[in-house]
């Protein structure tokens, strides 16, 4: 008879090894970015406009442009994604058409970002004639993160015990009242998890904004939603590959700011999610 503890220890070893293969490279990347980027961080770097063809000055317009794009993407994608998730989870019937729709949504989450960039270029920049602008970039990013929000929100809604719905309906509440006051409050932590994932992807993508909004060198802040804007991912790409003789501190400092910005947005969402999670009754 085989020793079950030996098999368990072997399984734990391979699981631990798999975890290390993921955590160690990511940790090394973060350490290198922090080590080389932190010396380049200063108030002038964070608050000044780029100068001398982006070889000097700061990255303030790129920070503001990134915040505009991410905020616009979430404002567009979250309501639509949540409503779609409510329909798929609470109203749609389990038939072939809806199973195909759910599968298509999951598959869309894995489509390369450059495809979304070309789609945004054709639809928002050319067809709707928004031009290269913040609204075109935000809508493109919103469509890109929409499958993530729909999938996470649907799973969060379906994780709420069905007995909650039965009790609410038995007390005379309508289906929408049950969803609004019973299902949604208990699903908020899972919905925010999807929003966190969407924030991270929207803030770090380069290809969609390359086609729809990003400017190579724009040492001023945008005045409206129809203006072009700089963004940290594209700015980092440009100074790393297109502009010669850029100080290493500027490149790694920009990467550090982008990493810190994504981390801060995620931490804020996690704090909000944990507050809602503490209110759960199950």
């Amino acid at each position: 008879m085989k020793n079950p503890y030996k098999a368990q220890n072997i399984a734990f070893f391979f699981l631990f090894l798999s975890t290390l293969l993921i955590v160690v490279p990511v940790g090394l990347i973060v350490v290198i970015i922090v080590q080389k980027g932190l010396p380049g961080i200063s108030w002038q770097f964070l608050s000044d406009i780029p100068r001398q063809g982006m070889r000097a000055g700061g990255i303030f317009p790129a920070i503001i442009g990134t915040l505009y794009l991410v905020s616009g993407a979430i404002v567009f994608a979250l309501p639509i994604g949540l409503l779609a998730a409510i329909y798929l989870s609470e109203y749609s019937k389990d038939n072939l058409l809806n199973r195909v729709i759910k599968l298509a949504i999951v598959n869309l989450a894995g489509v390369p970002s450059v495809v979304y960039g070309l789609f945004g270029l054709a639809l928002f920049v050319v067809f709707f004639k928004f031009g290269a602008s913040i609204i075109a970039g935000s809508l493109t990013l919103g469509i890109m993160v929409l499958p993530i929000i729909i999938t996470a929100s649907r799973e969060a809604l379906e994780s709420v015990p069905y007995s909650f719905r039965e009790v609410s309906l038995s007390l005379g509440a309508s289906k929408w009242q049950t969803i609004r006051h019973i299902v949604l409050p208990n699903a908020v932590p899972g919905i925010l998890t999807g929003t966190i994932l969407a924030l991270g992807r929207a803030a770090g993508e380069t290809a969609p904004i390359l086609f729809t909004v990003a400017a190579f060198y724009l040492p001023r802040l945008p005045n409206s939603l129809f203006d072009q804007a700089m963004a940290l991912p594209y700015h980092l790409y440009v100074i790393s590959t297109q502009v010669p003789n850029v100080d290493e501190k500027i490149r790694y400092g920009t990467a550090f700011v982008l990493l810190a910005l994504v981390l801060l947005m995620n931490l804020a969402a996690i704090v909000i999610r944990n507050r809602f999670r503490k209110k759960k009754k199950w």
Side-chain angles (χ1 to χ4, degrees), residues 2 10 39 55 68 72 84 86 95 106 112 126 134 153 166 190 202 206-207 224 241 249 253-255 262-263 273:
K2 294 182 178 180
I10 293 174
R55 295 182 181 87
Y68 282 166
I86 291 173
N95 52 35
V106 172
V126 177
I134 293 175
S153 299
E166 290 179 333
T206 304
S224 73
T241 62
K249 290 183 179 180
T254 303
V262 173
L263 180 61
R273 181 187 64 185

Side-chain angles (χ1 to χ4, degrees), residues 66 69-70 73-74 141-142 144-145 197-205 209 233:
T66 301
L69 291 170
V70 173
I74 295 301
L141 290 175
M144 184 186 68
V145 302
L197 296 174
L199 279 171
R201 187 173 184 193
E205 288 291 349
I209 61 176

Side-chain angles (χ1 to χ4, degrees), residues 6 24 26-27 29 45 49 57 62 75-76 82 113 119 141 154 166 175 184 186 196-197 206 236 248:
K6 184 177 181 181
V24 172
V26 174
I29 292 172
F45 182 72
I49 62 174
V75 167
F76 167 74
L82 183 56
S113 58
F119 174 79
L141 290 175
R154 181 171 60 83
E166 290 179 333
K175 191 173 184 65
L184 277 178
N186 286 287
I196 292 170
L197 296 174
T206 304
L236 179 60
E248 185 182 67

Side-chain angles (χ1 to χ4, degrees), residues 11-256:
F12 284 164
F13 171 76
F14 281 107
L15 290 172
F16 178 71
L17 185 61
S18 300
T19 303
L20 285 180
L21 290 175
I22 297 173
V23 173
V24 172
V26 174
L28 287 175
I29 292 172
V30 173
V31 169
I32 292 172
I33 291 176
V34 172
Q35 183 181 9
K36 294 188 176 182
L38 198 57
I41 301 299
S42 65
W43 176 249
Q44 181 183 6
F45 182 72
L46 297 176
S47 61
D48 199 5
I49 62 174
R51 305 179 189 278
Q52 300 177 17
M54 294 189 289
R55 295 182 181 87
I59 56 172
F60 186 65
I63 296 174
I64 297 300
T66 301
L67 292 175
Y68 282 166
L69 291 170
V70 173
S71 301
I74 295 301
V75 167
F76 167 74
L78 185 57
I80 296 176
L82 183 56
L83 290 175
I86 291 173
Y87 173 77
L88 292 172
S89 174
E90 305 295 328
Y91 289 99
S92 67
K93 297 179 180 179
D94 187 17
N95 52 35
L96 178 61
L97 176 61
N98 284 317
R99 287 196 293 270
V100 170
I101 292 174
K102 292 177 182 178
L103 179 62
I105 291 172
V106 172
N107 290 333
L108 283 173
V111 172
S113 58
V114 67
V115 177
Y116 286 105
L118 290 171
F119 174 79
L121 173 66
L123 182 63
F124 301 120
V125 177
V126 177
F127 183 78
F128 285 115
K129 297 181 180 179
F130 291 155
S133 59
I134 293 175
I135 189 169
S138 296
L139 292 174
T140 303
L141 290 175
I143 291 176
M144 184 186 68
V145 302
L146 196 55
I148 301 174
I149 293 177
I150 293 175
T151 302
S153 299
R154 181 171 60 83
E155 292 177 354
L157 292 167
E158 292 176 351
S159 69
V160 179
Y162 191 74
S163 58
F164 287 20
R165 299 169 175 83
E166 290 179 333
V167 171
S168 177
L169 294 172
S170 67
L171 293 175
S174 65
K175 191 173 184 65
W176 172 246
Q177 288 175 328
T178 300
I179 295 170
R180 168 67 179 83
H181 297 287
I182 303 299
V183 179
L184 277 178
N186 286 287
V188 165
I191 294 171
L192 287 176
T193 299
T195 305
I196 292 170
L197 296 174
L199 279 171
R201 187 173 184 193
E205 288 291 349
T206 304
I209 61 176
L210 173 65
F211 292 106
T212 57
V213 58
F216 179 81
Y217 178 62
L218 194 67
R220 61 176 177 81
L221 297 180
N223 296 318
S224 73
L225 292 176
F226 296 94
D227 284 350
Q228 280 188 280
M230 296 182 69
L232 284 172
Y234 184 60
H235 181 73
L236 179 60
Y237 164 75
V238 170
I239 63 176
S240 300
T241 62
Q242 306 297 318
V243 181
N245 302 323
V246 176
D247 192 346
E248 185 182 67
K249 290 183 179 180
I250 295 179
R251 296 199 300 266
Y252 280 98
T254 303
F256 177 81

